[in-house]
Amino acid sequence: MHLHIEPDLIERSTDDLSLAREFVALGWGGFVLKSHYFPTAERARVVSAAVPGAQVFGAVALNHAVGGFNPVAVDIAGRAGARVVWLPTVDAANESPERQEARGERHQPFWTRIQQEIRAKGCAPEPLSVFDEHGQLRPEVRSCLARVAEYDMVLATGHLARDEIFAVVAAARESGVKRIVVTHALFPSQALSIEEQRRLADMGAYIEGCYTTFYTNKCPWERLFAAIRAVGPERTVLSSDLGQRSNPSIVSGLLDFAARLLAAGFTRREVQRLLVENPARLVADE
């Protein structure tokens, strides 16, 4: 449900056609095409057609490249068959240079250089927060949520901050959104406590854990395992967030993820649910 591959603005370890062929050869179901910058619904349809047997799903991330909280972009994505809508990632206010510095982040994400170059050109709007100046959810955010509900897409919280995540999950449920994912809940820019993850799961969200968060030592593996046990495999979804050239391949990472879960005491049935069944259920077109 969460990976980064070519074509992209950042050099990646593989491309969408190659990964689709690899998945088909392994008998794996498929994947979601995530881009911080481009809608991918049309691209997903092309890859699925080019690689018989591949199930490739499109998505859109509501960053400035598509107009931010732009309900038209969400509507078009829904009409085109996109299955996932990410709230802001690279343009989230929670990922502003000031916020990153306050968190003491030493290693900047790969996309930081692109953001810096855009800002240097003077054409970057203000970072995106779901709240207006009065601390209320922006009307355009509610309009986006309504479009997500209309097309029964998955709403993923992106790189929002803790208070934004809780507000959005509550509003999404009120708007009729049935599929909600709290994006990489233990990533440093979210760093949700286990109790907070349980509360969000009780509100109807799936809690996502991403391989790269733990492989790159941003958070201990033991904390992920404790979170899964507390939230429950039925409300947890595991993804790779891979595709960076400095990390393992997507397939290798997913296999290592499964091996680590089994070694930590999770059953084969639980691993199947976390890595396969829950993601498939989320993107299913019912």
Side-chain angles (χ1 to χ4, degrees):
M1 291 249 341
H2 190 155
L3 46 78
H4 303 278
I5 54 181
E6 298 277 7
D8 199 356
L9 297 184
I10 300 164
E11 241 186 341
R12 300 302 187 184
S13 61
T14 190
D15 62 84
D16 47 19
L17 287 167
S18 297
L19 187 66
R21 294 187 187 108
E22 191 173 8
F23 269 43
V24 169
L26 289 166
W28 292 9
F31 53 88
V32 176
L33 281 174
K34 181 179 183 181
S35 170
H36 290 303
Y37 301 100
F38 311 115
T40 63
E42 290 179 320
R43 182 172 142 199
R45 291 171 67 179
V46 170
V47 175
S48 294
V51 184
Q55 300 177 58
V56 183
F57 302 92
V60 63
L62 300 185
N63 291 309
H64 283 309
V66 299
F69 299 118
N70 181 0
V72 175
V74 181
D75 189 87
I76 295 300
R79 290 172 187 268
R83 298 304 301 135
V84 182
V85 176
W86 270 277
L87 291 172
T89 58
V90 298
D91 286 317
N94 190 44
E95 289 289 13
S96 68
E98 295 77 18
R99 294 277 187 95
Q100 289 181 0
E101 184 178 351
R103 290 193 293 266
E105 295 182 15
R106 293 174 295 172
H107 303 291
Q108 296 295 319
F110 291 96
W111 42 261
T112 300
R113 176 182 56 80
I114 296 173
Q115 300 305 107
Q116 291 170 340
E117 291 173 357
I118 293 173
R119 281 194 296 271
K121 294 178 181 180
C123 58
E126 288 295 311
L128 294 161
S129 170
V130 301
F131 296 130
D132 63 19
E133 61 274 17
H134 304 295
Q136 303 298 310
L137 211 62
R138 296 180 183 277
E140 57 268 35
V141 173
R142 293 189 180 277
S143 185
C144 288
L145 297 179
R147 302 288 76 74
V148 173
E150 178 183 353
Y151 293 100
D152 196 21
M153 293 185 283
V154 178
L155 178 75
T157 58
H159 291 208
L160 300 185
R162 178 181 288 105
D163 55 345
E164 294 180 292
I165 292 170
F166 274 93
V168 160
V169 170
R173 295 292 291 175
E174 292 170 5
S175 298
V177 178
K178 298 175 184 175
R179 311 167 197 237
I180 306 170
V181 174
V182 176
T183 306
H184 44 45
L186 288 168
F187 195 71
S189 55
Q190 284 67 58
L192 296 167
S193 71
I194 291 177
E195 179 55 34
E196 287 167 336
Q197 293 176 54
R198 289 181 60 180
R199 285 167 52 198
L200 288 161
D202 288 343
M203 292 167 68
Y206 282 83
I207 309 301
E208 183 189 50
C210 287
Y211 178 82
T212 54
T213 304
F214 313 98
Y215 178 81
T216 58
N217 299 313
K218 293 181 176 68
C219 184
W221 286 100
E222 291 72 21
R223 188 158 180 79
L224 170 66
F225 302 148
I228 296 172
R229 292 186 178 101
V231 171
E234 68 278 2
R235 298 306 302 181
T236 303
V237 59
L238 299 181
S239 308
S240 76
D241 199 8
L242 284 167
Q244 308 82 9
R245 292 206 164 193
S246 57
N247 283 331
S249 72
I250 292 164
V251 168
S252 296
L254 287 169
L255 292 173
D256 184 48
F257 211 167
R260 288 175 183 269
L261 290 162
L262 292 169
F266 292 95
T267 67
R268 292 176 64 88
R269 180 73 188 84
E270 289 171 329
V271 173
Q272 177 82 5
R273 184 162 195 173
L274 292 162
L275 283 167
V276 180
E277 293 176 7
N278 288 350
R281 186 177 296 113
L282 280 163
V283 297
D285 188 7
E286 298 173 350

